[in-house]
Amino acid sequence: KAGVTQTPRYLIKTRGQQVTLSCSPISGHRSVSWYQQTPGQGLQFLFEYFSETQRNKGNFPGRFSGRQFSNSRSEMNVSTLELGDSALYLCASSEGTEAFFGQGTRLTVV
Amino acid sequence: KQEVTQIPAALSVPEGENLVLNCSFTDSAIYNLQWFRQDPGKGLTSLLLIQSSQREQTSGRLNASLDKSSGRSTLYIAASQPGDSATYLCAVSDSNYQLIWGAGTKLIIKP
């Protein structure tokens, strides 16, 4: 059974640009959550999608958005990138209680 | 508001020792608690999941306990090995399945 797949693994963008990250959950899992991890703030919850609907949302500005497709794959978009958006972005897949994480996308904003 | 604290922030022990990592949370109304391991620059690997109705879970050399009333969980690692070096994170899940994270304990096992 394939695990959670995040693409791309690494990304370098310039301030002001936008970026889209992708997450393919474990087959059969309907919930996908996104997290931002930085050395200073640790792991912070961005949002969660369940069956194509945003079910939970963290405390991030509107520049951070997401969506989920009918096959449960999810994308996260960040517009008007800022230097502070540089982080490891992790997605988690679950169907019930246990969360399984992908390897993350390392985003560097220059 | 749920807050999760992990103590110590860092720990260095010689190989072969048994050790305990601590996780505390302020609101006992949790759905479950998970322990994760993270290697530098990598994603998270789930180690153990304890449902709110359970007291402990074991996997190999790892044992996690949960005491909801006192808001505490411990991760016990027996006979530590250099390969156990990583950051260990605990997270509690509320009824909305949202995970609230501790800051992690960075563990170094010295050969």
Side-chain angles (χ1 to χ4, degrees):
Chain A
K1 197 173 188 182
V4 181
T5 304
Q6 289 188 247
T7 57
R9 289 293 312 281
Y10 303 94
L11 206 49
I12 299 175
K13 289 286 189 179
T14 305
R15 271 182 303 174
Q17 286 187 312
Q18 73 164 16
V19 66
T20 299
L21 312 181
S22 178
C23 174
S24 293
I26 292 171
S27 177
H29 285 192
R30 291 173 292 174
S31 169
V32 174
S33 298
W34 288 89
Y35 297 85
Q36 182 195 66
Q37 187 178 34
T38 59
Q41 297 294 321
L43 266 161
Q44 293 186 287
F45 173 73
L46 282 154
F47 30 65
E48 183 219 358
Y49 285 87
F50 183 88
S51 293
E52 301 180 65
T53 300
Q54 188 179 85
R55 185 161 70 171
N56 285 303
K57 189 177 188 304
N59 190 27
F60 276 79
R63 300 185 297 107
F64 292 82
S65 63
R67 59 177 175 168
Q68 187 178 32
F69 302 95
S70 58
N71 62 358
S72 291
R73 188 177 72 86
S74 177
E75 288 182 347
M76 189 192 97
N77 185 76
V78 188
S79 62
T80 319
L81 283 165
E82 301 176 359
L83 295 178
D85 298 332
S86 295
L88 180 66
Y89 290 87
L90 294 163
C91 87
S93 157
S94 71
E95 182 62 28
T97 57
E98 190 169 4
F100 298 88
F101 282 79
Q103 289 298 298
T105 294
R106 170 73 63 185
L107 171 64
T108 302
V109 182
V110 297
Chain B
K1 180 187 171 187
Q2 178 76 272
E3 291 182 2
V4 180
T5 304
Q6 290 188 247
I7 294 173
L11 183 63
S12 179
V13 300
E15 180 180 3
E17 282 199 4
N18 303 325
L19 58 100
V20 174
L21 307 180
N22 297 292
C23 173
S24 61
F25 46 94
T26 54
D27 187 346
S28 62
I30 64 170
Y31 195 74
N32 62 43
L33 184 146
Q34 277 187 261
W35 282 94
F36 295 87
R37 168 192 172 131
Q38 186 174 33
D39 294 284
K42 300 289 182 64
L44 301 168
T45 301
S46 178
L47 297 173
L48 290 164
L49 168 72
I50 311 178
Q51 301 289 359
S52 62
S53 58
Q54 298 174 319
R55 298 283 293 187
E56 66 177 344
Q57 283 286 338
T58 299
S59 176
R61 295 182 293 109
L62 305 179
N63 176 276
S65 68
L66 175 63
D67 184 342
K68 271 181 53 178
S69 61
S70 66
R72 290 179 185 175
S73 176
T74 61
L75 179 66
Y76 175 83
I77 302 177
S80 58
Q81 304 170 358
D84 295 330
S85 297
T87 296
Y88 290 80
L89 296 120
C90 74
V92 299
S93 173
D94 61 18
S95 57
N96 291 321
Y97 303 111
Q98 184 175 336
L99 291 172
I100 298 99
W101 297 87
T105 294
K106 184 174 182 179
L107 176 65
I108 297 173
I109 306 298
K110 297 175 288 187

